[in-house]
């Protein structure tokens, strides 16, 4: 058994999500968003080099030593896989490991809005799943791919760095390709997918102009493209897709995006008030005629009104989704305030000491009576 497996076992047993190993520091895990040490003694150069080199191939180790970064997946046993990121830092070696559940959760398990299933029924266009690092984007996308795999006969090609969730063929054929093992980069994998009789392509990360341009072209040619971006809401997602291009190309890109974008699922994780973990909260944009026109015109500031007005079509504005969690008592007023876009809406429900800090930081001091007049009552448990 590799020496590092004892650290992975602690990670699994403690119900944590990530293991942080840094030369010169004690090993740590992230549990429900908080980072805690799992022993007092710092990790030495000998311990780190032994542990990190024993679970990756000599070729990968050489690549890491040369470039200072490495991404791959490691399977400890049938139940436990980990996404591994090796890095170099001021004190020497470092690595972060994220636990990857081997059982893919369903969309029902994740309790995400039912309307997300409609993206799996589409036959072309681009769907973006967005959110900060560690917000569960990969988990939601895996559930959506599993929904398609269970219900439709499609050829699904995934291009990932590294492969996280391993899909078994059900009704669909799933071809999973890892960068740089099976394809040199996301753009080369995406170009190849156009020649692989694919119906659906999942692009693990849309991080540069070439990948985004190819994804838009693939969507225009009739493929259904799923991609991820590190943006917090639908408006920022649309802006990012356009802003990555030079200014003289942006009007053409707006036209392409208006024609091919089918929807945006933005996701954040919020701490539960009872301390039992975290809950996923989603903003959902479904692209209709009005949204297409907004994107074409470059008037993304109007997207919020379009999302709020599209509630009957399954759209959901992030602050409204946070609001529902607050009213249900799932999250605390402080957590809601911290994650909200419009802070003033949530400020009246902060405890007095937190409200004073919010005011000092430049938040708006809205009168709770005014909030009540607008039907905004904090029906939270214990508040």
């Amino acid at each position: 058994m590799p020496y590092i497996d004892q650290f992975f076992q602690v990670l699994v047993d403690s119900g944590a999500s990530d293991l942080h190993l840094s030369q010169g520091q004690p090993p740590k895990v992230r549990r429900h968003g908080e980072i805690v040490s799992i022993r007092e003694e710092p990790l030495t150069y000998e311990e780190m080099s032994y542990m990190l080199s024993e679970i990756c191939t000599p070729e990968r180790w050489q690549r890491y030593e040369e470039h200072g970064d490495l991404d791959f997946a490691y399977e400890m046993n049938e139940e436990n896989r980990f996404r591994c990121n090796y890095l170099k830092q001021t004190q020497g070696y470092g690595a972060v490991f994220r636990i990857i559940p081997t059982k893919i959760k369903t969309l029902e398990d994740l309790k995400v809005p039912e309307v997300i299933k409609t993206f799996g029924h589409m036959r072309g266009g681009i769907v973006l799943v967005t959110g900060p690092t560690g917000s569960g984007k990969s988990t939601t996308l895996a559930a959506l791919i599993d929904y398609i795999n269970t219900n439709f006969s499609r050829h699904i090609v995934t291009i990932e760095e590294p492969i996280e969730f391993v899909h078994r063929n059900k009704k669909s054929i799933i071809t999973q390709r890892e960068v740089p093992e099976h394809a040199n980069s996301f753009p080369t994998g995406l170009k190849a997918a156009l020649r692989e009789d694919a119906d659906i392509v999942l692009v693990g990360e849309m991080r540069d102009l070439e990948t985004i341009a190819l994804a838009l072209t693939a969507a225009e040619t009739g493929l259904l493209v799923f991609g991820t971006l590190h943006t917090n809401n639908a408006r920022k997602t649309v802006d990012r897709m356009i802003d990555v291009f030079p200014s003289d190309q942006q009007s053409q890109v707006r036209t392409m995006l208006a024609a091919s974008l089918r929807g945006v699922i933005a996701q954040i994780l919020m701490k539960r008030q009872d301390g039992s973990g975290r809950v996923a909260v989603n903003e959902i944009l479904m692209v209709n005629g009005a949204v297409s026109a907004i994107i074409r015109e470059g008037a993304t500031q109007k997207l919020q009104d379009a999302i709020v007005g599209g509630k009957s079509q399954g759209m959901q504005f992030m602050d409204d989704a946070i609001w529902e969690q607050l009213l249900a008592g799932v999250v605390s007023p402080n957590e809601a305030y911290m994650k909200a876009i419009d802070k003033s809406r949530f400020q009246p429900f902060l405890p007095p000491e937190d409200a004073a800090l919010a005011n000092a930081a430049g938040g708006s001091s809205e009168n709770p009576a005014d909030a009540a007049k607008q039907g905004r009552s904090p029906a939270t448990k214990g508040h």
Side-chain angles (χ1 to χ4, degrees), residues 55-75:
I55 61 162
C56 80
T57 61
E59 296 78 21
R60 280 179 171 157
W61 183 253
Q62 188 179 342
R63 198 185 314 148
Y64 167 54
E65 288 281 37
E66 286 171 8
H67 301 290
D69 280 295
L70 181 70
D71 288 287
F72 67 100
Y74 168 66
E75 194 164 295

Side-chain angles (χ1 to χ4, degrees), residues 232-271:
N232 290 6
N233 57 47
R235 179 185 172 179
K236 284 183 183 168
T237 301
V238 173
D239 287 341
R240 173 74 59 83
M241 291 286 285
I242 294 159
D243 291 347
V244 77
F245 289 88
S247 52
D248 61 333
Q249 293 177 29
Q250 289 184 1
S251 64
Q252 182 195 349
V253 172
R254 276 198 293 271
T255 303
M256 285 177 77
L257 192 61
S260 60
L261 186 66
R262 294 292 172 265
V264 177
I265 305 163
Q267 183 162 304
I268 59 171
L269 290 181
M270 299 183 72
K271 286 183 199 166

Side-chain angles (χ1 to χ4, degrees), residues 140-191:
T140 299
L141 255 180
L144 187 50
I145 294 294
D146 186 62
Y147 173 77
I148 297 166
N149 190 14
T150 305
N151 293 285
F152 303 100
S153 300
R154 304 268 192 273
H155 180 206
I156 303 164
V157 176
T158 77
I159 307 154
E160 303 169 77
E161 185 189 12
I163 291 168
E164 294 191 33
F165 296 89
V166 177
H167 293 269
R168 311 272 175 245
N169 292 347
K170 293 179 185 175
K171 271 194 170 181
S172 292
I173 302 167
I174 302 192
T175 304
Q176 294 188 262
R177 307 191 69 205
E178 187 167 301
V179 174
E181 302 298 312
H182 311 133
N184 283 335
S185 64
F186 284 110
T188 53
L190 197 41
K191 277 180 197 161

